[in-house]
Amino acid sequence: MLGCELPVGTCPDMCPAAERSQRERERRLHRLEVVPGCRQDPPRADPQRAVKEYSRPAAGKPRPPPSQLRPPSVLLATVRYLAGEVAESADAARAEVASFVADRLRAVRLDLALQGAGDAEAAVVLEAALATLLAVVARLGPDAARGPADPVLLQAQVQEGFGSLRRCYARGAGPHPRQPAFQGLFLLYNLGSVEALREVLQLPAALRTCPPLRKALAVDAAFREGNAARLFRLLQTLPYLASCAVQCHVGHARREALARLARAFSTPKGQTLPLGFMVNLLALDGLREARDLCQAHGLPLDGEERVVFLRGRYVEEGLPPAGTCKVLVESKLRGRTLEEVVMAEEEDEGADRPGSPA
């Protein structure tokens, strides 16, 4: 706000003490925030595990005092905790983890917006938060819709994260070493979007020529052209975070490629094609996934290793089947922890910085 100097947060904890006490009394602690093994009633909050939850700002409500706002350093430590401890938790379902992490990251973005943080340090927090959210959403299985994670809400949260980060970049204060990678993630997450492509093409040439953005533009072009062979070759070369961002489009791309194969190969008597060919073409996780994909679209099988393209049999019902994406996504971690990837993937991939020699 013009003429209004924003405060700087002073809260040293991931969750202010006042909020911890209030949520204890109101029994609003998430089970990932209580003291392990606690049998008290109501459960007691663990200061090392409790994370500030999102609360929508109300009209006319006074701004929170600095003691209730976490400074950028604490916000970054909070994101690191969510990526390193919560996201990797084996004690909770992935849908539960995604719902919890998305809410707490939304609170991180709000704390950042309510205080006077510099653009450079704000970008670091927003980048880490967005990377964590992309990863936990990508890890959701095909049955996640029946759990506590709302796919539509999660998608909105990812887009909100991109919006906050790209507005921070647009203010011009830097440097932002990870900007090429995250502008590329924006395009990959919005693959096929004319508006997203337009926004990326309006970026300075020094950014557009960086390897992460060049690769994202190539993926987008292959996707638009329906060139499945080139698209899936490119997808296999993407780093982990980029693979997480594009994962939501993989099912549709595979369906479109299968439809083209059906139009090209289908005959009245049926023509067979090895399933191994489809595994390689569509970067599937094996013959079983290839069989499941064909059967989900009405294509009969000839034994265990061949599909029959019979005219009139190809069908599309509902959403494309959700694959496991081990080849395209999970394998890209290569022994690294999610925390390591979230905090510094661009160094691992050796991406060029804006203005660096080609």
Side-chain angles (χ1 to χ4, degrees), residues 288-310:
R288 180 174 180 177
E289 187 172 19
R291 287 193 290 269
D292 291 344
L293 179 65
C294 292
Q295 291 177 321
H297 290 87
L299 297 174
L301 300 175
D302 179 11
E304 292 293 309
E305 297 187 0
R306 301 183 74 84
V307 59
V308 182
F309 287 99
L310 195 62

Side-chain angles (χ1 to χ4, degrees), residues 23-273:
R23 288 205 281 135
E24 273 185 0
R25 294 192 303 270
E26 297 175 355
R27 300 175 184 269
R28 290 193 296 110
L29 289 172
H30 192 280
R31 68 186 189 90
L32 294 172
E33 300 178 300
V34 301
V35 175
C38 177
R39 298 182 180 276
Q40 288 184 223
D41 188 24
R44 188 159 52 89
D46 185 342
Q48 303 302 314
R49 303 176 76 208
V51 184
K52 185 177 183 179
E53 69 176 358
Y54 176 77
S55 177
R56 183 186 299 275
K61 184 178 179 180
R63 287 178 177 269
S67 62
Q68 299 298 308
L69 296 175
R70 297 161 292 179
S73 59
V74 176
L75 292 173
L76 188 60
T78 300
V79 176
R80 184 185 289 272
Y81 167 77
L82 292 171
E85 300 294 332
V86 178
E88 304 282 14
S89 174
D91 300 329
R94 288 184 172 183
E96 182 181 9
V97 166
S99 179
F100 177 83
V101 169
D103 177 85
R104 276 26 179 198
L105 291 177
R106 196 178 187 190
V108 165
R109 293 195 300 273
L110 180 59
D111 267 21
L112 202 55
L114 291 176
Q115 62 184 295
D119 288 330
E121 58 183 352
V124 171
V125 175
L126 292 171
E127 288 164 349
L130 180 56
T132 302
L133 185 57
L134 285 170
V136 297
V137 170
R139 290 181 173 191
L140 292 174
D143 298 328
R146 296 196 293 268
D150 182 343
V152 176
L153 180 59
L154 290 176
Q155 182 182 24
Q157 290 303 305
V158 173
Q159 295 289 15
E160 183 179 308
F162 275 120
S164 298
L165 179 58
R166 297 182 76 245
R167 285 191 295 272
C168 184
Y169 289 152
R171 286 193 286 270
H176 303 304
R178 300 183 80 179
Q179 184 177 3
F182 279 85
Q183 295 284 11
L185 295 181
F186 169 71
L187 182 59
L188 291 171
Y189 189 78
N190 294 283
L191 207 61
S193 165
V194 174
E195 180 63 22
L197 178 61
R198 184 186 67 81
E199 292 185 18
V200 167
L201 291 177
Q202 288 179 339
L203 294 172
L207 274 176
R208 297 198 311 273
T209 56
C210 288
L213 259 179
R214 289 208 309 265
K215 179 70 71 67
L217 285 165
V219 171
D220 185 76
F223 182 80
R224 291 172 186 278
E225 295 164 2
N227 188 337
R230 176 167 169 75
L231 174 64
F232 284 98
R233 280 200 303 269
L234 287 169
L235 293 184
Q236 291 185 74
T237 67
L238 292 176
Y240 179 72
L241 280 183
S243 300
C244 290
V246 81
Q247 180 178 318
C248 57
H249 301 284
V250 169
H252 292 279
R254 284 173 173 164
R255 169 175 278 182
E256 185 63 26
L258 187 59
R260 283 188 166 86
L261 288 174
R263 289 193 293 269
F265 288 100
S266 292
T267 64
K269 293 184 178 180
Q271 186 170 186
T272 63
L273 193 69

